[in-house]
Amino acid sequence: MDRRTLLGTLAAGAVGAGLHAKGLGPGATDAKPTENPLADYAARAFDFGTGLPGLGKELLAEHLALYKGYVSRTNALLRDTLAAEREGKAGPAVQELRRRLGFEFSGMRLHELYFEALSASAATPSASHPLHQAIAATWGSFDAWWAAFRATCTMTGIGWGVLLKDPATGRLMNAWFQDHENAVAVGAQALLVVDVWEHAYVRDYGATGRAKYVDAVKSLIDWRVVEKRF
Ligand SMILES: [Fe+2]
């Protein structure tokens, strides 16, 4: 069990828990396990240059800074939680550490899944790929799936639109993750993640512009990355 698997399994409700049927954690396609399972997580480097079509440089820079905050808070919470456990503490303060750990760890991982699949030179879906055959078998067509996924991403509230696969059955499902620590469908693998917290789009699209943002993201999804997660 590599470090990502171990910590993903430990974090209550953490996104990606137990999702390693092919030896790759979600979002870990270019990440390397460390030999020290207690080493801090390092913020992944995502270079969006002067911005992406539909997502400005400033918005992306702010968003990456927010992501780095999740990474640093995850590291701090892992240290604090483990220290409390080694001291035999288990009271309300430790319970709050666990809730926060689920929130921060999942926020870290969801951002990695999101950023990793964004590209200015995104590959279009490969109709012959098993993922797209599964999408067509489930929703009837890619366009029908996207309509349902887009509706998921534009639900009232702040959160994440996610396309999940249950490795136990191969079933695909669209999901809405609102609070990171309450991410649902334990064991399901996140194939595609779209951040629809307001910080992801308000700067460029305004508070009422989420649907336009989601449509812009559609053209940035690098399906080579998504298909590799399948
Ligand atoms: Fe975000």
Side-chain angles (χ1 to χ4, degrees):
M1 180 177 286
D2 64 27
R3 179 174 185 272
R4 283 177 178 271
T5 306
L6 173 64
L7 295 176
T9 303
L10 288 175
V15 172
L19 310 181
H20 304 275
K22 294 183 178 179
L24 282 174
T29 49
D30 63 357
K32 297 178 177 60
T34 173
E35 292 183 359
N36 176 10
L38 296 180
D40 277 356
Y41 283 88
R44 303 254 316 264
F46 298 99
D47 182 4
F48 298 121
T50 57
L52 298 171
L55 294 180
K57 178 181 179 180
E58 293 79 12
L59 180 148
L60 288 165
E62 283 183 358
H63 206 165
L64 288 170
L66 287 171
Y67 156 65
K68 289 177 182 174
Y70 277 104
V71 178
S72 63
R73 291 190 298 273
T74 294
N75 288 324
L77 284 162
L78 285 168
R79 282 193 296 272
D80 292 349
T81 305
L82 185 57
E85 290 172 341
R86 285 175 170 172
E87 294 171 12
K89 296 178 179 175
V94 179
Q95 293 167 13
E96 175 60 9
L97 289 177
R98 296 193 199 289
R99 187 191 71 78
R100 295 296 307 179
L101 177 57
F103 184 86
E104 303 294 355
F105 183 98
S106 296
M108 172 181 74
R109 185 56 44 82
L110 283 163
H111 278 102
E112 290 166 352
L113 288 160
Y114 168 67
F115 289 133
E116 188 181 50
L118 289 183
S119 173
S121 54
T124 55
S126 170
S128 61
H129 192 277
L131 169 60
H132 301 290
Q133 294 170 0
I135 287 174
T138 305
W139 285 278
S141 69
F142 181 87
D143 289 346
W145 162 74
W146 172 257
F149 185 74
R150 184 180 186 274
T152 307
C153 292
T154 53
M155 285 171 51
T156 302
I158 52 174
W160 306 80
V162 186
L163 172 63
L164 293 171
K165 171 191 173 185
D166 178 6
T169 63
R171 187 183 185 94
L172 298 178
M173 57 193 115
N174 291 320
W176 171 254
F177 290 177
Q178 184 149 311
D179 295 323
H180 301 162
E181 71 271 40
N182 295 326
V184 296
V186 171
Q189 182 166 354
L191 304 179
L192 172 66
V193 169
V194 176
D195 189 343
V196 294
W197 283 63
E198 289 173 346
H199 63 250
Y201 62 91
V202 165
R203 184 183 182 107
D204 287 1
Y205 292 93
T208 59
R210 192 195 295 181
K212 291 180 180 175
Y213 154 76
V214 173
D215 290 340
V217 167
K218 182 186 182 188
S219 341
L220 300 174
I221 297 168
D222 190 340
W223 284 93
R224 287 169 298 196
V225 174
V226 180
E227 289 162 0
K228 193 172 180 180
R229 294 173 183 161
F230 181 71

